[in-house]
Amino acid sequence: MTPIEVGLTPQALTLVWPGGSTTLSAQALRAACRCADCRAAALRGQAVPIPAATMLAGLAPLGHYALQLRFADGHERGIYPWAYLQQLAAAQHPSS
Ligand SMILES: [Zn+2]
């Protein structure tokens, strides 16, 4: 499923799906980042350092399947497939 609309503010990413919309905070997205650096830290059993004031600085669509998110501190290699973003949103709101 591909969102109808993607909205970005420094604090959050909003995705509008055919069945409703979901919002993911910059903090949650950063914590879920799967770029090489973050995965390497996770494999070493370390927490990924997340700046206290994590903000989103931009996004780039990757084909029709994913978004690449850029954070204000220059962290920009994380790729978020639509399915992964849906999983994150579902985990955030288990009832919906
Ligand atoms: Zn990362």
Side-chain angles (χ1 to χ4, degrees):
M1 186 157 57
T2 311
I4 299 165
E5 213 176 296
V6 177
L8 185 79
T9 68
Q11 288 80 32
L13 175 74
T14 300
L15 300 168
V16 181
W17 308 96
S21 69
T22 51
T23 300
L24 289 159
S25 70
Q27 200 83 24
L29 289 163
R30 179 61 173 269
C33 182
R34 297 195 297 185
C35 76
D37 289 349
C38 291
R39 276 190 305 204
L43 285 174
R44 288 194 300 265
Q46 295 169 346
V48 177
I50 299 175
T54 297
M55 287 195 291
L56 288 158
L59 59 80
L62 287 183
H64 293 293
Y65 78 99
L67 278 185
Q68 183 164 9
L69 296 177
R70 184 157 51 86
F71 292 89
D73 62 345
H75 200 90
E76 61 179 3
R77 311 256 309 276
I79 291 168
Y80 299 75
W82 300 128
Y84 185 51
L85 291 166
Q86 282 181 298
Q87 272 175 35
L88 294 175
Q92 193 174 250
H93 302 289
S95 59
S96 65

